[in-house]
Structure formats: C-alpha cells, structure tokens
C-alpha cells in the first residue's frame, strides 16, 4: 500500500510530460488478476453487468460506501463465528469421556485371604464389594452419560447452526465477488474510455486544467481500485472462514460420534461385562468352595485311612497273639524252677541246721545232767 501511495504522489508530474511515456505513467498499464466469474450463475452475471453501469466513480461518497454494507455484515458474521468457537468447551466433553473411562477402571482384582476354610469368609465380601462398586460406578456413569447426551444435543444444534453459517458465508462471498467484478468492469470501462479521453485531450491541449481533470479522474480510479482491493481482502476472509467453519463443524461431529459410541456401545458393553463378571465370580466362588471342600474331604480320607491302617495292624497283631506269651511262660517256668531250687536248698539247709541243733541240744542236755550230778 505504501508503494502504491508513493507512485501516486509522483504520477501528476508526469501527466504534463509530452513524452509518449506520460500516458503510460498517468494510466499505468498492468495486468490485473482476473476474478473468475464462473462461480456466478447467468442471472448473477447479468446482475453484475447491470450493477456496473450504475456505479458512478465521480460520486465520492458512493465510492467510499461501495460494498461497505457487505463488509459490515461480514465483520459481524466473523465476530459471531469467533464467539461460537470461544464459547465452545470441547475439553469438557473430553473430561467427561475421561471420567467414564476412570469409573470403568475402578474394578481391580482383590487379594484373596489365604488359609483353610477362607472360602467361607472373604469371597462373599469380595462379591459384595464388586456389587457395591458396580452400583456406585453405574450411578456415576449414568450422570456422566446424561451430561454427555445434553452436550450432544447442543453439539447437534451447533452443527446445524454452522451449516447455516456456512451458507450465509457463501452468500457474503457471492456478494463480495459480485461487487468486485462489477467494480473492475466499471474501472476498466472508465480507464479505457473517459480517462483515456481526458488524457488525450490534455496531451492535445496542453492546458493545466485538462491535465488536472485527467489526474483527478485517475486519482478517483486509484481510490476505487483500492476500495476494490479492500473488498478482495474481505473476500479472502470469507474464503478462509469457510474451511474454518467446516473444521469446527467436523470437531463437533467427531465429538457427537464419540459421545454416541460411548452411550450406545461402551456403556452397554461395560454393563454386560460387569454382569458377566458378577456371574463368573459367583461360579468362581462355587468352584473354589467345592474345590476346598473336596480337598478337605480328601485330607480327612487320607488321615482316616492312616488311622484305620494303624488300627488294623494293631488288631491283627493282637488277634494273632496267644493268651500268654511263650516268653512269659518261659520266664515264669525259669522263675518257678529257680524258686523251687532255692526252697529245696533252704529246706536242706534247715534240716542240716536242725540236725546240728539236735546234736547241740543233746550235748547241752548231757552237759546239764552231768553238772547236776556233780552238785549231788
């Protein structure tokens, strides 16, 4: 823009130059990027052609306001689109989906109590804990799902609104394109006819007022060209807004699909899996109890078998024994023989002692008799 302004400042001095290049400097010959009118219908092309004939470059106020209404609507529209994006908190949906996953991960395997007869205590507690966790998680998940469904409704409304915004942006894009096409047609027409005539007149007359008139019209054309350039910038904003609207719409659509998948697939699947988990836990407890009862029965049978074996062996041994053991009879017989020997010895010793005593008694009797005889 500053380069264009600099060129415009130097242009008037060249208007009065009789050299052939004056014409080229007053009316620069440059290739304008042609706006393709294939985006317009035949009716719209006729509207552009008719509207271009109504444009008056000499009307300064009209040139200043050229396309300003559409620019204002486009600015308001961009502000509305920006507010729609700013007020949309898709992170909240992501947090809610994360909360669902967190709730579904609350079911860990609990450590089982070890020891005999433990199946009568902890498994029932574990099953109750699972039921309690399931009920708590189900309540939390239902609340989150309700919030997700409400947010899904808002997202669906936003998607429909974004469709309307996209269509409205297309209307503004068409209006701006038509303003630009009409303006360029008029600008090319003025430069090729009226401005060229004024330049030719100034060159022929050499009068300052004729040169000034040509320069004034050239300045008006330059201002109108800049106005068209502003419209092209606004049109570019409209072009950029279209994919931005679609990006936001696609993000909303993806969130709707995630919510739908969570509500329709994930949650019912989780519930069915939890029901299966509870059933499996029931079956596991029954199998565990049956296994431990069987182990206990086998242990008791093994112990009873050992006891029965010992009892049978002892009974068999006792049944095969006599009333009195041979060893006992032998010991008794030996003891009797020894006793008889000792009795016989004692009796023999007694007889010997009695014989000796009789002899001693007789001796004592004789001695006493003799002593008595002596006394007489």
């Amino acid at each position: 823009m500053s380069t264009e302004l600099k060129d415009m400042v130097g242009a008037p001095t060249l208007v009065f130059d009789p050299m052939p290049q004056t014409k080229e400097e007053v009316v620069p010959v440059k290739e304008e990027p042609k706006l393709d009118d294939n985006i317009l219908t035949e009716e719209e092309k006729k509207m552009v052609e008719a509207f271009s004939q109504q444009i008056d470059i000499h009307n300064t106020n009209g040139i200043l306001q050229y396309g300003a209404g559409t620019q204002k609507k486009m600015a308001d529209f961009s502000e509305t689109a920006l507010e729609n994006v700013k007020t949309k908190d898709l992170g909240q949906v992501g947090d809610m989906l994360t909360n669902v996953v967190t709730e579904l991960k609350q079911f860990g395997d609990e450590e089982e109590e070890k020891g005999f007869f433990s199946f009568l205590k902890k498994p029932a507690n574990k099953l109750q804990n699972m039921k309690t966790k399931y009920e708590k998680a189900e309540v939390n998940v239902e609340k989150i799902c309700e919030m997700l469904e409400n947010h899904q409704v808002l997202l669906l409304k936003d998607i429909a609104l974004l469709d309307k915004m996209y269509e409205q942006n297309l209307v503004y894009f068409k209006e701006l394109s038509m303003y630009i096409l009409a303006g360029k047609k008029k600008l090319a027409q003025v430069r090729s006819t009226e401005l060229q005539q004024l330049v030719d007149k100034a060159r022929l007359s050499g009068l300052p007022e004729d040169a000034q008139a040509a320069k004034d019209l050239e300045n008006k054309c330059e201002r109108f060209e800049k106005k068209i350039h502003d419209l092209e910038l606004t049109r570019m904003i409209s072009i950029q807004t279209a994919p931005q609207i679609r990006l936001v719409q696609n993000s909303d659509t993806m969130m709707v699909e995630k919510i739908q998948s969570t509500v329709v697939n994930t949650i019912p699947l989780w519930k069915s899996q939890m029901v299966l988990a509870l059933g499996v836990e029931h079956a596991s407890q029954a199998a565990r109890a049956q296994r431990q009862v069987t182990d206990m029965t086998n242990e008791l049978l093994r112990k009873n078998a050992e006891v029965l074996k010992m009892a049978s062996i002892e009974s068999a041994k006792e049944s095969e024994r006599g009333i009195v053991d041979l060893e006992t009879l032998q010991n008794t017989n030996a003891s009797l023989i020894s006793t008889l020997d000792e009795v016989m010895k004692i009796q023999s010793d007694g007889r010997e002692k009695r014989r000796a005593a009789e002899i001693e008694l007789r001796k004592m009797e004789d001695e006493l008799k003799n002593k008595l005889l002596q006394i007489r």
Side-chain angles (χ1 to χ4, degrees):
M1 293 296 292
S2 60
T3 304
E4 294 178 2
L5 290 173
K6 184 178 180 180
D7 292 339
M8 287 177 62
V9 172
T13 59
L14 302 175
V15 174
F16 304 104
D17 192 338
M19 298 297 292
Q21 62 267 26
T22 302
K23 177 180 178 182
E24 295 180 1
E25 292 180 353
V26 175
V27 185
V29 179
K30 55 185 179 180
E31 281 294 329
E32 294 286 347
K34 186 175 180 181
L35 179 62
D36 192 359
D37 61 356
N38 290 332
I39 61 174
L40 304 179
T41 63
E42 291 299 324
E43 183 178 356
E44 289 172 342
K45 291 178 181 178
K46 292 178 182 180
M47 288 175 61
V48 168
E49 186 65 32
F51 182 70
S52 67
Q53 302 302 322
Q54 300 176 13
I55 300 173
D56 184 5
I57 291 183
H58 298 281
N59 187 339
T60 303
N61 187 55
I63 295 302
L64 288 174
Q65 296 299 321
Y66 185 79
T70 303
Q71 285 181 305
K72 178 65 168 58
K73 290 187 289 185
M74 188 63 206
D76 294 341
F77 174 79
S78 298
E79 185 68 22
T80 302
L82 179 61
E83 287 298 323
N84 183 270
V85 174
K86 285 168 60 179
T87 56
K88 192 181 304 299
D89 186 9
L90 294 182
Q92 182 182 4
V93 180
D95 292 340
M96 287 189 287
L97 293 173
T98 302
N99 291 337
V100 171
V101 175
T102 302
E103 290 293 340
L104 302 187
K105 286 184 177 180
Q106 294 299 319
F107 302 93
D109 293 331
E110 296 184 359
E111 185 177 356
E112 296 184 4
E113 183 180 349
K114 304 299 182 181
F116 202 58
F117 294 115
S118 61
F119 67 96
L120 297 176
K121 302 177 182 178
K122 279 295 179 182
N125 295 338
K126 179 181 178 182
L127 183 61
Q128 185 60 40
N129 290 338
M130 288 183 64
K131 290 181 180 178
T132 303
K133 286 185 177 181
Y134 173 74
E135 292 171 357
K136 178 182 176 182
E138 185 179 25
V139 172
N140 293 336
V141 168
E142 290 296 337
K143 290 180 180 178
I144 296 173
C145 286
E146 183 178 355
M147 295 172 62
L148 286 173
E149 288 173 348
N150 293 336
H151 210 95
Q152 184 181 25
V153 173
L154 294 178
L155 289 174
L156 290 172
K157 290 180 180 178
D158 288 345
I159 291 172
L161 177 62
L162 288 168
D163 274 332
K164 293 181 180 178
M165 291 177 66
Y166 186 87
E167 294 173 1
Q168 188 63 48
N169 182 68
L170 185 60
V171 172
Y172 294 151
F173 171 76
K174 281 285 189 71
E175 287 185 8
L176 291 167
S177 299
M178 293 170 72
Y179 271 116
I180 293 168
L181 286 169
K184 287 190 173 184
K185 284 180 180 290
K186 186 65 176 181
L187 187 61
Q189 179 186 358
V190 171
R191 280 177 168 169
S192 63
T193 57
E194 185 178 354
L195 180 59
Q196 187 62 49
Q197 292 171 3
L198 290 176
V199 171
D200 291 341
K201 180 180 179 181
R203 289 174 59 198
L204 291 174
S205 67
L207 296 175
E209 58 267 27
D210 291 340
Q212 186 62 49
K215 183 60 179 176
D216 289 344
L217 182 57
E218 173 61 22
N219 289 338
K220 292 177 181 179
C221 290
E222 287 289 337
R223 286 195 295 273
F224 188 49
E225 185 178 11
K226 290 177 182 178
K227 184 63 179 179
I228 294 173
H229 179 70
D230 288 342
L231 292 175
E232 288 179 326
L233 293 177
T234 305
R235 179 176 177 272
M236 179 54 66
I237 293 174
S238 176
I239 293 174
Q240 293 175 346
T241 301
Q244 291 172 352
I245 291 174
R246 289 306 190 202
L247 285 173
V248 175
Q249 194 175 40
N250 288 337
S251 297
D252 289 351
T253 303
M254 289 176 61
M255 280 299 175
V256 169
E257 290 173 350
K258 287 184 179 180
I259 293 172
Q260 187 74 13
S261 177
T262 299
V263 174
V264 175
N265 296 322
T266 304
I267 302 304
L269 178 61
W270 167 73
K271 288 183 178 180
S272 63
Q273 290 301 312
M274 281 309 304
V275 171
L276 290 175
L278 292 172
V280 168
E281 183 60 25
H282 275 293
S284 298
Q285 286 189 13
R288 194 159 48 241
Q290 182 61 41
R291 182 172 60 252
Q292 294 187 358
V293 168
T294 302
D295 293 342
M296 180 183 66
T297 303
N298 291 332
E299 183 68 19
L300 290 175
L301 289 175
R302 281 194 295 270
K303 290 183 177 180
N304 290 336
E306 290 294 330
V307 172
L308 180 61
K309 176 182 176 182
M310 296 300 297
S312 298
I313 292 174
E314 292 298 326
S315 298
K317 286 181 178 179
E318 292 299 324
S319 65
E320 293 300 325
R321 289 178 61 184
I323 297 175
V324 180
D325 291 338
L326 179 61
E327 292 82 359
T328 302
L329 293 175
Q330 290 176 344
N331 291 334
T332 303
N333 190 58
S335 178
L336 287 173
I337 293 173
S338 176
T339 301
L340 291 174
D341 288 339
E342 290 181 2
V343 169
M344 290 174 63
K345 183 179 179 181
I346 291 171
Q347 289 177 350
S348 178
D349 291 342
R351 283 194 298 270
E352 291 295 329
K353 287 180 179 181
R354 285 194 300 274
R355 289 192 192 100
E358 287 177 358
I359 294 172
E360 187 64 27
L361 288 173
R362 288 192 188 100
K363 181 179 179 182
M364 289 174 60
E365 183 180 357
D366 290 338
E367 287 178 353
L368 182 58
K369 287 177 178 182
N370 292 325
K371 192 65 175 174
L372 292 172
L373 292 175
Q374 292 176 1
I375 293 174
R376 289 177 182 175

